[in-house]
């Protein structure tokens, strides 16, 4: 590979954390991953501090300044913008999505991680997660995401102080606060408010 400076060329240790069966290498200038036996540079990555983000388990990398994702095991890399890497904390979850927060923002994404608008990082937390859907809340909003849309949306009208999740069987989720009831159907992959439902008397098992 004549375009690669061989000086100090070495393997990036992964401590057993692999992703897409790829190995990463570095020299004094860049980070490389080999795709179809050709080197691909990870843009803007610092070779001295680049490593897998071990708390995430897979698919996420960091250096002294930022985070990086690798899209669909291809040679497309995304740098996470506006992140404070020193205060960033990864929120573990079994969903196929990355969730984390720093001192200023909440970050969510799969192939590309972006800021979750209006989310409060101090109070943001996941409240129900599995591989079908997940819910989160902060002091201002309740959020939901589904298997087809990993990016969270605000559950309009839901009260984060009293919101809770009710699971019925393997396919159905209900959410409720003091005033309303919402329904998630795994088949249609939508969350809808049940108009007129009273959460105090609603029978979640028989509806």
């Amino acid at each position: 590979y004549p375009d690669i400076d061989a000086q100090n060329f070495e393997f990036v240790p992964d401590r057993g954390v692999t992703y897409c069966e790829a190995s990463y290498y570095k020299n004094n200038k860049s980070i490389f991953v080999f795709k179809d036996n050709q080197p691909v540079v990870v843009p803007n990555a610092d070779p001295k501090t680049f490593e897998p983000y071990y708390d995430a388990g897979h698919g996420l990398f960091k250096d002294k300044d930022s985070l990086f994702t690798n899209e669909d095991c291809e040679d497309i890399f995304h740098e996470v913008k506006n992140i404070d890497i020193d205060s960033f904390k990864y929120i573990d979850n079994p969903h196929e999505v990355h969730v984390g927060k720093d001192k200023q923002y909440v970050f969510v994404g799969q192939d590309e991680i972006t800021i979750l608008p209006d989310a409060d990082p101090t109070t943001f937390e996941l409240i129900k997660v599995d591989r079908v859907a997940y819910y989160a809340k902060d002091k201002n909003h309740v959020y939901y995401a589904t298997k087809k849309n990993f990016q969270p949306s605000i559950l309009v009208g839901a009260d984060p102080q009293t919101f809770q999740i009710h699971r019925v069987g393997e396919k159905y989720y209900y959410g409720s606060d003091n005033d309303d009831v919402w329904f998630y159907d795994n088949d249609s992959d939508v969350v809808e408010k049940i108009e007129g439902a009273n959460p105090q008397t609603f029978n979640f098992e028989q509806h």
Side-chain angles (χ1 to χ4, degrees), residues 53-93:
Y53 193 91
Y54 298 105
D55 291 344
H58 69 279
L60 196 61
F61 308 87
K62 71 173 183 176
D63 65 12
K64 64 182 180 64
D65 296 316
S66 194
L67 293 176
F68 304 85
T69 58
N70 177 218
E71 183 173 330
D72 291 334
C73 298
E74 298 295 334
D75 55 351
I76 302 172
F77 291 88
H78 299 285
E79 180 181 2
V80 181
K81 303 298 183 182
N82 301 309
I83 191 171
D84 179 71
I85 194 64
D86 292 330
S87 64
F88 180 80
K89 295 182 178 180
Y90 190 82
I91 301 175
D92 189 35
N93 69 90

Side-chain angles (χ1 to χ4, degrees), residues 3 21 25 43 58 74 86 92 102 117 121 123 143 154-155 158 161 180 186 197 203:
D3 295 332
E21 300 182 353
Y25 300 85
H58 69 279
E74 298 295 334
D86 292 330
D92 189 35
D102 66 12
T123 58
Y143 307 87
I154 293 175
L155 190 59
Q161 304 304 316
D180 295 297
N186 186 37
N203 190 326

